[in-house]
Amino acid sequence: MNLVFIGPPGAGKGTQTKRLVEEKNMVALATGDILRQNVQNETELGKQAKEYMDAGKLVPDEVMINMIEGELTNISAEQAVIFDGFPRTVAQAEALDALLNRLNKTIDNVIELVVDDEALVERIVGRSTCKTCQASYHDKFSLPKVAGVCDYCGGTEFVRRSDDTPEKIKNRLSVYNQEKSGIIDYYRKQDLVSEVDGMLEQEEVAGAIEKILVDGGLTYKYAKV
Ligand code: AP5
């Protein structure tokens, strides 16, 4: 089973992806995370992507398609994959279909997380990540159990993303709104899109996603054991 998450910045794509990875042993291809890792390691890809990411713009399709092709070929055919943040344009969606076709895989469901713009800004500016294990927190919605200490690794340093400023969020949101209808229409024509109300509590969103996957007859039979 392969799944695509689509949604604006801050919609909860990463949050729900992490949950599925932990609970269902799926593998995530989270393009923002992969790019940030490359920027941090100053790889050639990171150097190409940095200026676009800093400006809240999309990294060019060609760069992204090459990157995802490289990542996908390292994943076994049986492994269930979640695409978090890819594709974001129709060109990327077409390239992904062609690539999956060559690998005898398909997209089984596309989940669109729908969230009000005002809530997105509040979610993003309040977000932080544990520097050691990258667990995600929020100043209001998802605090560590002990203040200042990561629940998972005990780390005490938390970082915020450089593109999580109000001005850059505005750019990212505007880019998302430009591309959104094209990509949603692309997957609607294949009858793959399920909308989920991303304004609900995180657990309720997770429950709605689980229901869609189960009702759709999708099982985790390919999940890694
Ligand atoms: P990327 O890292 O993918 O950023 P994004 O799409 O802007 O999404 P975010 O990671 O900001 O949000 P999210 O939906 O994952 O929300 P989260 O779960 O963290 O991409 C960054 C950049 O990389 C792009 O701008 C672009 O430059 C480049 N890039 C990436 N992919 C690309 C591609 N395919 N093509 C070209 N360029 C690409 O949640 C946010 C916060 O809200 C968290 O604190 C969380 O705790 C909280 N939260 C989550 N759910 C809820 C809830 N239900 N209620 C309350 N709070 C919640």
Side-chain angles (χ1 to χ4, degrees), residues 9-15 31-32 36 57 59 85 88 92 123 127 137 161 172 200:
K13 305 181 294 294
T15 303
T31 44
R36 276 185 289 281
K57 292 181 181 167
V59 176
R88 289 192 199 219
Q92 291 181 12
R123 284 187 190 183
R127 171 170 59 185
Y137 294 96
R161 273 169 47 178
R172 286 158 59 197
L200 300 170

mmCIF file with all atom_site columns, all heavy atoms in Angstrom, residues 9-15 31-32 36 57 59 85 88 92 123 127 137 161 172 200, ligand 1:
data_model
loop_
_atom_site.group_PDB
_atom_site.id
_atom_site.type_symbol
_atom_site.label_atom_id
_atom_site.label_alt_id
_atom_site.label_comp_id
_atom_site.label_asym_id
_atom_site.label_entity_id
_atom_site.label_seq_id
_atom_site.pdbx_PDB_ins_code
_atom_site.Cartn_x
_atom_site.Cartn_y
_atom_site.Cartn_z
_atom_site.occupancy
_atom_site.B_iso_or_equiv
_atom_site.pdbx_formal_charge
_atom_site.auth_seq_id
_atom_site.auth_comp_id
_atom_site.auth_asym_id
_atom_site.auth_atom_id
_atom_site.pdbx_PDB_model_num
ATOM   1   N N   . PRO A 1 9   ? 1.329   23.872 4.187   1.00 0.00 ? 9   PRO A N   1
ATOM   2   C CA  . PRO A 1 9   ? 2.323   23.856 5.257   1.00 0.00 ? 9   PRO A CA  1
ATOM   3   C C   . PRO A 1 9   ? 1.627   23.889 6.610   1.00 0.00 ? 9   PRO A C   1
ATOM   4   O O   . PRO A 1 9   ? 0.720   24.702 6.821   1.00 0.00 ? 9   PRO A O   1
ATOM   5   C CB  . PRO A 1 9   ? 3.131   25.148 5.043   1.00 0.00 ? 9   PRO A CB  1
ATOM   6   C CG  . PRO A 1 9   ? 2.605   25.810 3.830   1.00 0.00 ? 9   PRO A CG  1
ATOM   7   C CD  . PRO A 1 9   ? 1.520   24.984 3.246   1.00 0.00 ? 9   PRO A CD  1
ATOM   8   N N   . GLY A 1 10  ? 2.009   22.996 7.507   1.00 0.00 ? 10  GLY A N   1
ATOM   9   C CA  . GLY A 1 10  ? 1.420   22.992 8.847   1.00 0.00 ? 10  GLY A CA  1
ATOM   10  C C   . GLY A 1 10  ? 0.137   22.193 8.959   1.00 0.00 ? 10  GLY A C   1
ATOM   11  O O   . GLY A 1 10  ? -0.476  22.138 10.025  1.00 0.00 ? 10  GLY A O   1
ATOM   12  N N   . ALA A 1 11  ? -0.268  21.537 7.888   1.00 0.00 ? 11  ALA A N   1
ATOM   13  C CA  . ALA A 1 11  ? -1.546  20.800 7.916   1.00 0.00 ? 11  ALA A CA  1
ATOM   14  C C   . ALA A 1 11  ? -1.490  19.574 8.823   1.00 0.00 ? 11  ALA A C   1
ATOM   15  O O   . ALA A 1 11  ? -2.517  19.065 9.245   1.00 0.00 ? 11  ALA A O   1
ATOM   16  C CB  . ALA A 1 11  ? -1.931  20.372 6.503   1.00 0.00 ? 11  ALA A CB  1
ATOM   17  N N   . GLY A 1 12  ? -0.266  19.083 9.067   1.00 0.00 ? 12  GLY A N   1
ATOM   18  C CA  . GLY A 1 12  ? -0.137  17.882 9.900   1.00 0.00 ? 12  GLY A CA  1
ATOM   19  C C   . GLY A 1 12  ? 0.347   16.673 9.106   1.00 0.00 ? 12  GLY A C   1
ATOM   20  O O   . GLY A 1 12  ? 0.270   15.547 9.589   1.00 0.00 ? 12  GLY A O   1
ATOM   21  N N   . LYS A 1 13  ? 0.865   16.902 7.912   1.00 0.00 ? 13  LYS A N   1
ATOM   22  C CA  . LYS A 1 13  ? 1.346   15.791 7.071   1.00 0.00 ? 13  LYS A CA  1
ATOM   23  C C   . LYS A 1 13  ? 2.457   15.014 7.794   1.00 0.00 ? 13  LYS A C   1
ATOM   24  O O   . LYS A 1 13  ? 2.421   13.797 7.891   1.00 0.00 ? 13  LYS A O   1
ATOM   25  C CB  . LYS A 1 13  ? 1.900   16.310 5.727   1.00 0.00 ? 13  LYS A CB  1
ATOM   26  C CG  . LYS A 1 13  ? 0.936   17.171 4.925   1.00 0.00 ? 13  LYS A CG  1
ATOM   27  C CD  . LYS A 1 13  ? 1.516   17.622 3.605   1.00 0.00 ? 13  LYS A CD  1
ATOM   28  C CE  . LYS A 1 13  ? 2.697   18.572 3.703   1.00 0.00 ? 13  LYS A CE  1
ATOM   29  N NZ  . LYS A 1 13  ? 2.410   19.893 4.273   1.00 0.00 ? 13  LYS A NZ  1
ATOM   30  N N   . GLY A 1 14  ? 3.427   15.766 8.294   1.00 0.00 ? 14  GLY A N   1
ATOM   31  C CA  . GLY A 1 14  ? 4.561   15.130 8.982   1.00 0.00 ? 14  GLY A CA  1
ATOM   32  C C   . GLY A 1 14  ? 4.110   14.412 10.245  1.00 0.00 ? 14  GLY A C   1
ATOM   33  O O   . GLY A 1 14  ? 4.556   13.299 10.537  1.00 0.00 ? 14  GLY A O   1
ATOM   34  N N   . THR A 1 15  ? 3.198   15.032 10.993  1.00 0.00 ? 15  THR A N   1
ATOM   35  C CA  . THR A 1 15  ? 2.700   14.447 12.243  1.00 0.00 ? 15  THR A CA  1
ATOM   36  C C   . THR A 1 15  ? 2.034   13.102 11.964  1.00 0.00 ? 15  THR A C   1
ATOM   37  O O   . THR A 1 15  ? 2.308   12.098 12.624  1.00 0.00 ? 15  THR A O   1
ATOM   38  C CB  . THR A 1 15  ? 1.672   15.412 12.893  1.00 0.00 ? 15  THR A CB  1
ATOM   39  O OG1 . THR A 1 15  ? 2.316   16.673 13.105  1.00 0.00 ? 15  THR A OG1 1
ATOM   40  C CG2 . THR A 1 15  ? 1.123   14.875 14.197  1.00 0.00 ? 15  THR A CG2 1
ATOM   41  N N   . THR A 1 31  ? 9.873   14.641 1.646   1.00 0.00 ? 31  THR A N   1
ATOM   42  C CA  . THR A 1 31  ? 10.853  15.364 0.829   1.00 0.00 ? 31  THR A CA  1
ATOM   43  C C   . THR A 1 31  ? 11.452  16.571 1.548   1.00 0.00 ? 31  THR A C   1
ATOM   44  O O   . THR A 1 31  ? 12.639  16.853 1.398   1.00 0.00 ? 31  THR A O   1
ATOM   45  C CB  . THR A 1 31  ? 10.236  15.785 -0.524  1.00 0.00 ? 31  THR A CB  1
ATOM   46  O OG1 . THR A 1 31  ? 8.936   16.305 -0.303  1.00 0.00 ? 31  THR A OG1 1
ATOM   47  C CG2 . THR A 1 31  ? 10.174  14.622 -1.474  1.00 0.00 ? 31  THR A CG2 1
ATOM   48  N N   . GLY A 1 32  ? 10.649  17.257 2.364   1.00 0.00 ? 32  GLY A N   1
ATOM   49  C CA  . GLY A 1 32  ? 11.206  18.396 3.115   1.00 0.00 ? 32  GLY A CA  1
ATOM   50  C C   . GLY A 1 32  ? 12.311  17.940 4.054   1.00 0.00 ? 32  GLY A C   1
ATOM   51  O O   . GLY A 1 32  ? 13.379  18.566 4.139   1.00 0.00 ? 32  GLY A O   1
ATOM   52  N N   . ARG A 1 36  ? 16.196  19.016 3.881   1.00 0.00 ? 36  ARG A N   1
ATOM   53  C CA  . ARG A 1 36  ? 16.861  19.698 5.017   1.00 0.00 ? 36  ARG A CA  1
ATOM   54  C C   . ARG A 1 36  ? 18.126  18.948 5.432   1.00 0.00 ? 36  ARG A C   1
ATOM   55  O O   . ARG A 1 36  ? 19.134  19.559 5.760   1.00 0.00 ? 36  ARG A O   1
ATOM   56  C CB  . ARG A 1 36  ? 15.895  19.832 6.204   1.00 0.00 ? 36  ARG A CB  1
ATOM   57  C CG  . ARG A 1 36  ? 14.978  21.050 6.093   1.00 0.00 ? 36  ARG A CG  1
ATOM   58  C CD  . ARG A 1 36  ? 14.115  21.238 7.320   1.00 0.00 ? 36  ARG A CD  1
ATOM   59  N NE  . ARG A 1 36  ? 13.081  20.231 7.433   1.00 0.00 ? 36  ARG A NE  1
ATOM   60  C CZ  . ARG A 1 36  ? 11.935  20.232 6.747   1.00 0.00 ? 36  ARG A CZ  1
ATOM   61  N NH1 . ARG A 1 36  ? 11.659  21.220 5.922   1.00 0.00 ? 36  ARG A NH1 1
ATOM   62  N NH2 . ARG A 1 36  ? 11.054  19.272 6.897   1.00 0.00 ? 36  ARG A NH2 1
ATOM   63  N N   . LYS A 1 57  ? 9.989   28.789 -1.737  1.00 0.00 ? 57  LYS A N   1
ATOM   64  C CA  . LYS A 1 57  ? 9.552   28.386 -3.094  1.00 0.00 ? 57  LYS A CA  1
ATOM   65  C C   . LYS A 1 57  ? 9.771   26.894 -3.289  1.00 0.00 ? 57  LYS A C   1
ATOM   66  O O   . LYS A 1 57  ? 10.504  26.264 -2.530  1.00 0.00 ? 57  LYS A O   1
ATOM   67  C CB  . LYS A 1 57  ? 10.397  29.129 -4.144  1.00 0.00 ? 57  LYS A CB  1
ATOM   68  C CG  . LYS A 1 57  ? 10.152  30.610 -4.192  1.00 0.00 ? 57  LYS A CG  1
ATOM   69  C CD  . LYS A 1 57  ? 11.033  31.203 -5.267  1.00 0.00 ? 57  LYS A CD  1
ATOM   70  C CE  . LYS A 1 57  ? 10.841  32.706 -5.353  1.00 0.00 ? 57  LYS A CE  1
ATOM   71  N NZ  . LYS A 1 57  ? 11.891  33.331 -6.150  1.00 0.00 ? 57  LYS A NZ  1
ATOM   72  N N   . VAL A 1 59  ? 11.417  23.679 -4.909  1.00 0.00 ? 59  VAL A N   1
ATOM   73  C CA  . VAL A 1 59  ? 12.649  23.260 -5.570  1.00 0.00 ? 59  VAL A CA  1
ATOM   74  C C   . VAL A 1 59  ? 12.238  22.758 -6.962  1.00 0.00 ? 59  VAL A C   1
ATOM   75  O O   . VAL A 1 59  ? 11.166  22.150 -7.103  1.00 0.00 ? 59  VAL A O   1
ATOM   76  C CB  . VAL A 1 59  ? 13.323  22.138 -4.728  1.00 0.00 ? 59  VAL A CB  1
ATOM   77  C CG1 . VAL A 1 59  ? 14.556  21.593 -5.418  1.00 0.00 ? 59  VAL A CG1 1
ATOM   78  C CG2 . VAL A 1 59  ? 13.659  22.672 -3.335  1.00 0.00 ? 59  VAL A CG2 1
ATOM   79  N N   . GLY A 1 85  ? 4.771   15.235 1.139   1.00 0.00 ? 85  GLY A N   1
ATOM   80  C CA  . GLY A 1 85  ? 5.331   16.442 0.505   1.00 0.00 ? 85  GLY A CA  1
ATOM   81  C C   . GLY A 1 85  ? 5.746   16.217 -0.936  1.00 0.00 ? 85  GLY A C   1
ATOM   82  O O   . GLY A 1 85  ? 6.321   17.105 -1.556  1.00 0.00 ? 85  GLY A O   1
ATOM   83  N N   . ARG A 1 88  ? 4.153   17.657 -5.545  1.00 0.00 ? 88  ARG A N   1
ATOM   84  C CA  . ARG A 1 88  ? 3.515   18.958 -5.282  1.00 0.00 ? 88  ARG A CA  1
ATOM   85  C C   . ARG A 1 88  ? 3.096   19.661 -6.556  1.00 0.00 ? 88  ARG A C   1
ATOM   86  O O   . ARG A 1 88  ? 2.522   20.753 -6.500  1.00 0.00 ? 88  ARG A O   1
ATOM   87  C CB  . ARG A 1 88  ? 4.484   19.880 -4.548  1.00 0.00 ? 88  ARG A CB  1
ATOM   88  C CG  . ARG A 1 88  ? 4.712   19.437 -3.154  1.00 0.00 ? 88  ARG A CG  1
ATOM   89  C CD  . ARG A 1 88  ? 5.422   20.506 -2.376  1.00 0.00 ? 88  ARG A CD  1
ATOM   90  N NE  . ARG A 1 88  ? 6.005   19.873 -1.232  1.00 0.00 ? 88  ARG A NE  1
ATOM   91  C CZ  . ARG A 1 88  ? 6.052   20.408 -0.034  1.00 0.00 ? 88  ARG A CZ  1
ATOM   92  N NH1 . ARG A 1 88  ? 5.596   21.605 0.180   1.00 0.00 ? 88  ARG A NH1 1
ATOM   93  N NH2 . ARG A 1 88  ? 6.591   19.754 0.957   1.00 0.00 ? 88  ARG A NH2 1
ATOM   94  N N   . GLN A 1 92  ? 5.414   16.539 -11.232 1.00 0.00 ? 92  GLN A N   1
ATOM   95  C CA  . GLN A 1 92  ? 5.947   15.568 -10.258 1.00 0.00 ? 92  GLN A CA  1
ATOM   96  C C   . GLN A 1 92  ? 5.023   14.350 -10.149 1.00 0.00 ? 92  GLN A C   1
ATOM   97  O O   . GLN A 1 92  ? 5.484   13.211 -10.037 1.00 0.00 ? 92  GLN A O   1
ATOM   98  C CB  . GLN A 1 92  ? 6.111   16.207 -8.877  1.00 0.00 ? 92  GLN A CB  1
ATOM   99  C CG  . GLN A 1 92  ? 7.214   17.254 -8.804  1.00 0.00 ? 92  GLN A CG  1
ATOM   100 C CD  . GLN A 1 92  ? 7.372   17.851 -7.405  1.00 0.00 ? 92  GLN A CD  1
ATOM   101 O OE1 . GLN A 1 92  ? 6.823   17.352 -6.419  1.00 0.00 ? 92  GLN A OE1 1
ATOM   102 N NE2 . GLN A 1 92  ? 8.130   18.939 -7.313  1.00 0.00 ? 92  GLN A NE2 1
ATOM   103 N N   . ARG A 1 123 ? 0.058   27.060 13.997  1.00 0.00 ? 123 ARG A N   1
ATOM   104 C CA  . ARG A 1 123 ? 0.723   25.759 14.151  1.00 0.00 ? 123 ARG A CA  1
ATOM   105 C C   . ARG A 1 123 ? 2.208   25.853 13.808  1.00 0.00 ? 123 ARG A C   1
ATOM   106 O O   . ARG A 1 123 ? 3.051   25.280 14.492  1.00 0.00 ? 123 ARG A O   1
ATOM   107 C CB  . ARG A 1 123 ? 0.089   24.725 13.211  1.00 0.00 ? 123 ARG A CB  1
ATOM   108 C CG  . ARG A 1 123 ? -1.238  24.226 13.711  1.00 0.00 ? 123 ARG A CG  1
ATOM   109 C CD  . ARG A 1 123 ? -1.673  23.098 12.819  1.00 0.00 ? 123 ARG A CD  1
ATOM   110 N NE  . ARG A 1 123 ? -3.040  22.711 13.092  1.00 0.00 ? 123 ARG A NE  1
ATOM   111 C CZ  . ARG A 1 123 ? -3.640  21.709 12.493  1.00 0.00 ? 123 ARG A CZ  1
ATOM   112 N NH1 . ARG A 1 123 ? -3.010  21.021 11.580  1.00 0.00 ? 123 ARG A NH1 1
ATOM   113 N NH2 . ARG A 1 123 ? -4.883  21.401 12.795  1.00 0.00 ? 123 ARG A NH2 1
ATOM   114 N N   . ARG A 1 127 ? 5.892   25.583 16.258  1.00 0.00 ? 127 ARG A N   1
ATOM   115 C CA  . ARG A 1 127 ? 6.503   24.247 16.112  1.00 0.00 ? 127 ARG A CA  1
ATOM   116 C C   . ARG A 1 127 ? 7.984   24.262 16.483  1.00 0.00 ? 127 ARG A C   1
ATOM   117 O O   . ARG A 1 127 ? 8.710   25.189 16.181  1.00 0.00 ? 127 ARG A O   1
ATOM   118 C CB  . ARG A 1 127 ? 6.356   23.819 14.649  1.00 0.00 ? 127 ARG A CB  1
ATOM   119 C CG  . ARG A 1 127 ? 7.129   22.574 14.303  1.00 0.00 ? 127 ARG A CG  1
ATOM   120 C CD  . ARG A 1 127 ? 6.778   22.047 12.939  1.00 0.00 ? 127 ARG A CD  1
ATOM   121 N NE  . ARG A 1 127 ? 7.027   22.991 11.865  1.00 0.00 ? 127 ARG A NE  1
ATOM   122 C CZ  . ARG A 1 127 ? 6.699   22.769 10.602  1.00 0.00 ? 127 ARG A CZ  1
ATOM   123 N NH1 . ARG A 1 127 ? 6.069   21.666 10.280  1.00 0.00 ? 127 ARG A NH1 1
ATOM   124 N NH2 . ARG A 1 127 ? 6.959   23.658 9.681   1.00 0.00 ? 127 ARG A NH2 1
ATOM   125 N N   . TYR A 1 137 ? 7.365   18.975 18.321  1.00 0.00 ? 137 TYR A N   1
ATOM   126 C CA  . TYR A 1 137 ? 6.562   19.518 19.431  1.00 0.00 ? 137 TYR A CA  1
ATOM   127 C C   . TYR A 1 137 ? 5.887   20.815 18.993  1.00 0.00 ? 137 TYR A C   1
ATOM   128 O O   . TYR A 1 137 ? 6.223   21.374 17.950  1.00 0.00 ? 137 TYR A O   1
ATOM   129 C CB  . TYR A 1 137 ? 7.465   19.786 20.648  1.00 0.00 ? 137 TYR A CB  1
ATOM   130 C CG  . TYR A 1 137 ? 8.030   18.516 21.236  1.00 0.00 ? 137 TYR A CG  1
ATOM   131 C CD1 . TYR A 1 137 ? 9.300   18.074 20.882  1.00 0.00 ? 137 TYR A CD1 1
ATOM   132 C CD2 . TYR A 1 137 ? 7.268   17.726 22.097  1.00 0.00 ? 137 TYR A CD2 1
ATOM   133 C CE1 . TYR A 1 137 ? 9.808   16.886 21.387  1.00 0.00 ? 137 TYR A CE1 1
ATOM   134 C CE2 . TYR A 1 137 ? 7.768   16.535 22.606  1.00 0.00 ? 137 TYR A CE2 1
ATOM   135 C CZ  . TYR A 1 137 ? 9.032   16.123 22.248  1.00 0.00 ? 137 TYR A CZ  1
ATOM   136 O OH  . TYR A 1 137 ? 9.517   14.942 22.744  1.00 0.00 ? 137 TYR A OH  1
ATOM   137 N N   . ARG A 1 161 ? 12.576  25.638 12.512  1.00 0.00 ? 161 ARG A N   1
ATOM   138 C CA  . ARG A 1 161 ? 12.997  25.692 11.113  1.00 0.00 ? 161 ARG A CA  1
ATOM   139 C C   . ARG A 1 161 ? 13.162  27.128 10.648  1.00 0.00 ? 161 ARG A C   1
ATOM   140 O O   . ARG A 1 161 ? 12.370  28.000 11.018  1.00 0.00 ? 161 ARG A O   1
ATOM   141 C CB  . ARG A 1 161 ? 11.945  24.985 10.235  1.00 0.00 ? 161 ARG A CB  1
ATOM   142 C CG  . ARG A 1 161 ? 12.193  23.515 10.141  1.00 0.00 ? 161 ARG A CG  1
ATOM   143 C CD  . ARG A 1 161 ? 11.067  22.756 9.520   1.00 0.00 ? 161 ARG A CD  1
ATOM   144 N NE  . ARG A 1 161 ? 10.510  23.294 8.283   1.00 0.00 ? 161 ARG A NE  1
ATOM   145 C CZ  . ARG A 1 161 ? 9.541   22.707 7.604   1.00 0.00 ? 161 ARG A CZ  1
ATOM   146 N NH1 . ARG A 1 161 ? 9.021   21.558 8.028   1.00 0.00 ? 161 ARG A NH1 1
ATOM   147 N NH2 . ARG A 1 161 ? 9.068   23.242 6.502   1.00 0.00 ? 161 ARG A NH2 1
ATOM   148 N N   . ARG A 1 172 ? 5.018   30.139 1.331   1.00 0.00 ? 172 ARG A N   1
ATOM   149 C CA  . ARG A 1 172 ? 4.804   28.695 1.167   1.00 0.00 ? 172 ARG A CA  1
ATOM   150 C C   . ARG A 1 172 ? 3.326   28.398 0.924   1.00 0.00 ? 172 ARG A C   1
ATOM   151 O O   . ARG A 1 172 ? 2.970   27.559 0.103   1.00 0.00 ? 172 ARG A O   1
ATOM   152 C CB  . ARG A 1 172 ? 5.315   27.949 2.411   1.00 0.00 ? 172 ARG A CB  1
ATOM   153 C CG  . ARG A 1 172 ? 6.835   27.884 2.468   1.00 0.00 ? 172 ARG A CG  1
ATOM   154 C CD  . ARG A 1 172 ? 7.369   27.644 3.863   1.00 0.00 ? 172 ARG A CD  1
ATOM   155 N NE  . ARG A 1 172 ? 6.907   26.429 4.476   1.00 0.00 ? 172 ARG A NE  1
ATOM   156 C CZ  . ARG A 1 172 ? 6.972   26.181 5.792   1.00 0.00 ? 172 ARG A CZ  1
ATOM   157 N NH1 . ARG A 1 172 ? 7.491   27.082 6.611   1.00 0.00 ? 172 ARG A NH1 1
ATOM   158 N NH2 . ARG A 1 172 ? 6.519   25.058 6.278   1.00 0.00 ? 172 ARG A NH2 1
ATOM   159 N N   . LEU A 1 200 ? -9.299  18.878 13.153  1.00 0.00 ? 200 LEU A N   1
ATOM   160 C CA  . LEU A 1 200 ? -9.602  18.042 14.325  1.00 0.00 ? 200 LEU A CA  1
ATOM   161 C C   . LEU A 1 200 ? -8.348  17.835 15.166  1.00 0.00 ? 200 LEU A C   1
ATOM   162 O O   . LEU A 1 200 ? -7.233  18.125 14.727  1.00 0.00 ? 200 LEU A O   1
ATOM   163 C CB  . LEU A 1 200 ? -10.127 16.680 13.858  1.00 0.00 ? 200 LEU A CB  1
ATOM   164 C CG  . LEU A 1 200 ? -11.411 16.692 13.019  1.00 0.00 ? 200 LEU A CG  1
ATOM   165 C CD1 . LEU A 1 200 ? -11.669 15.319 12.427  1.00 0.00 ? 200 LEU A CD1 1
ATOM   166 C CD2 . LEU A 1 200 ? -12.590 17.142 13.874  1.00 0.00 ? 200 LEU A CD2 1
HETATM 167 P P1  . AP5 B 2 .   ? 8.143   20.538 3.907   1.00 0.00 ? 1   AP5 B P1  1
HETATM 168 O O1  . AP5 B 2 .   ? 9.103   20.226 4.981   1.00 0.00 ? 1   AP5 B O1  1
HETATM 169 O O2  . AP5 B 2 .   ? 7.408   19.424 3.268   1.00 0.00 ? 1   AP5 B O2  1
HETATM 170 O O3  . AP5 B 2 .   ? 7.168   21.640 4.495   1.00 0.00 ? 1   AP5 B O3  1
HETATM 171 P P2  . AP5 B 2 .   ? 5.609   21.937 4.282   1.00 0.00 ? 1   AP5 B P2  1
HETATM 172 O O4  . AP5 B 2 .   ? 4.907   21.232 3.186   1.00 0.00 ? 1   AP5 B O4  1
HETATM 173 O O5  . AP5 B 2 .   ? 5.549   23.408 4.247   1.00 0.00 ? 1   AP5 B O5  1
HETATM 174 O O6  . AP5 B 2 .   ? 4.964   21.268 5.493   1.00 0.00 ? 1   AP5 B O6  1
HETATM 175 P P3  . AP5 B 2 .   ? 5.369   21.376 6.989   1.00 0.00 ? 1   AP5 B P3  1
HETATM 176 O O7  . AP5 B 2 .   ? 6.455   20.401 7.285   1.00 0.00 ? 1   AP5 B O7  1
HETATM 177 O O8  . AP5 B 2 .   ? 5.613   22.797 7.377   1.00 0.00 ? 1   AP5 B O8  1
HETATM 178 O O9  . AP5 B 2 .   ? 3.998   20.986 7.682   1.00 0.00 ? 1   AP5 B O9  1
HETATM 179 P P4  . AP5 B 2 .   ? 3.287   19.599 7.959   1.00 0.00 ? 1   AP5 B P4  1
HETATM 180 O O10 . AP5 B 2 .   ? 2.046   19.508 7.152   1.00 0.00 ? 1   AP5 B O10 1
HETATM 181 O O11 . AP5 B 2 .   ? 4.235   18.440 7.889   1.00 0.00 ? 1   AP5 B O11 1
HETATM 182 O O12 . AP5 B 2 .   ? 2.846   19.879 9.467   1.00 0.00 ? 1   AP5 B O12 1
HETATM 183 P P5  . AP5 B 2 .   ? 3.348   19.226 10.827  1.00 0.00 ? 1   AP5 B P5  1
HETATM 184 O O13 . AP5 B 2 .   ? 2.890   17.812 10.919  1.00 0.00 ? 1   AP5 B O13 1
HETATM 185 O O14 . AP5 B 2 .   ? 4.789   19.511 11.079  1.00 0.00 ? 1   AP5 B O14 1
HETATM 186 O O15 . AP5 B 2 .   ? 8.876   21.350 2.741   1.00 0.00 ? 1   AP5 B O15 1
HETATM 187 C C1  . AP5 B 2 .   ? 9.767   22.416 3.037   1.00 0.00 ? 1   AP5 B C1  1
HETATM 188 C C2  . AP5 B 2 .   ? 10.318  23.005 1.740   1.00 0.00 ? 1   AP5 B C2  1
HETATM 189 O O16 . AP5 B 2 .   ? 11.037  21.998 0.997   1.00 0.00 ? 1   AP5 B O16 1
HETATM 190 C C3  . AP5 B 2 .   ? 9.276   23.544 0.742   1.00 0.00 ? 1   AP5 B C3  1
HETATM 191 O O17 . AP5 B 2 .   ? 8.881   24.861 1.063   1.00 0.00 ? 1   AP5 B O17 1
HETATM 192 C C4  . AP5 B 2 .   ? 10.077  23.464 -0.581  1.00 0.00 ? 1   AP5 B C4  1
HETATM 193 O O18 . AP5 B 2 .   ? 10.993  24.516 -0.692  1.00 0.00 ? 1   AP5 B O18 1
HETATM 194 C C5  . AP5 B 2 .   ? 10.853  22.162 -0.420  1.00 0.00 ? 1   AP5 B C5  1
HETATM 195 N N1  . AP5 B 2 .   ? 10.143  20.989 -0.946  1.00 0.00 ? 1   AP5 B N1  1
HETATM 196 C C6  . AP5 B 2 .   ? 9.698   19.914 -0.215  1.00 0.00 ? 1   AP5 B C6  1
HETATM 197 N N2  . AP5 B 2 .   ? 9.083   19.027 -1.034  1.00 0.00 ? 1   AP5 B N2  1
HETATM 198 C C7  . AP5 B 2 .   ? 9.120   19.557 -2.293  1.00 0.00 ? 1   AP5 B C7  1
HETATM 199 C C8  . AP5 B 2 .   ? 8.627   19.119 -3.561  1.00 0.00 ? 1   AP5 B C8  1
HETATM 200 N N3  . AP5 B 2 .   ? 7.962   17.957 -3.685  1.00 0.00 ? 1   AP5 B N3  1
HETATM 201 N N4  . AP5 B 2 .   ? 8.835   19.913 -4.635  1.00 0.00 ? 1   AP5 B N4  1
HETATM 202 C C9  . AP5 B 2 .   ? 9.520   21.064 -4.519  1.00 0.00 ? 1   AP5 B C9  1
HETATM 203 N N5  . AP5 B 2 .   ? 10.005  21.558 -3.351  1.00 0.00 ? 1   AP5 B N5  1
HETATM 204 C C10 . AP5 B 2 .   ? 9.807   20.803 -2.239  1.00 0.00 ? 1   AP5 B C10 1
HETATM 205 O O19 . AP5 B 2 .   ? 2.464   20.079 11.855  1.00 0.00 ? 1   AP5 B O19 1
HETATM 206 C C11 . AP5 B 2 .   ? 2.758   21.439 12.123  1.00 0.00 ? 1   AP5 B C11 1
HETATM 207 C C12 . AP5 B 2 .   ? 2.569   21.743 13.616  1.00 0.00 ? 1   AP5 B C12 1
HETATM 208 O O20 . AP5 B 2 .   ? 1.197   21.604 13.935  1.00 0.00 ? 1   AP5 B O20 1
HETATM 209 C C13 . AP5 B 2 .   ? 3.335   20.778 14.543  1.00 0.00 ? 1   AP5 B C13 1
HETATM 210 O O21 . AP5 B 2 .   ? 3.872   21.518 15.598  1.00 0.00 ? 1   AP5 B O21 1
HETATM 211 C C14 . AP5 B 2 .   ? 2.271   19.796 15.040  1.00 0.00 ? 1   AP5 B C14 1
HETATM 212 O O22 . AP5 B 2 .   ? 2.537   19.394 16.372  1.00 0.00 ? 1   AP5 B O22 1
HETATM 213 C C15 . AP5 B 2 .   ? 0.994   20.644 14.966  1.00 0.00 ? 1   AP5 B C15 1
HETATM 214 N N6  . AP5 B 2 .   ? -0.161  19.848 14.579  1.00 0.00 ? 1   AP5 B N6  1
HETATM 215 C C16 . AP5 B 2 .   ? -0.213  18.825 13.671  1.00 0.00 ? 1   AP5 B C16 1
HETATM 216 N N7  . AP5 B 2 .   ? -1.462  18.342 13.567  1.00 0.00 ? 1   AP5 B N7  1
HETATM 217 C C17 . AP5 B 2 .   ? -2.226  19.076 14.425  1.00 0.00 ? 1   AP5 B C17 1
HETATM 218 C C18 . AP5 B 2 .   ? -3.614  19.072 14.788  1.00 0.00 ? 1   AP5 B C18 1
HETATM 219 N N8  . AP5 B 2 .   ? -4.468  18.198 14.229  1.00 0.00 ? 1   AP5 B N8  1
HETATM 220 N N9  . AP5 B 2 .   ? -4.032  19.981 15.693  1.00 0.00 ? 1   AP5 B N9  1
HETATM 221 C C19 . AP5 B 2 .   ? -3.167  20.869 16.260  1.00 0.00 ? 1   AP5 B C19 1
HETATM 222 N N10 . AP5 B 2 .   ? -1.844  20.908 15.983  1.00 0.00 ? 1   AP5 B N10 1
HETATM 223 C C20 . AP5 B 2 .   ? -1.379  20.041 15.068  1.00 0.00 ? 1   AP5 B C20 1
#
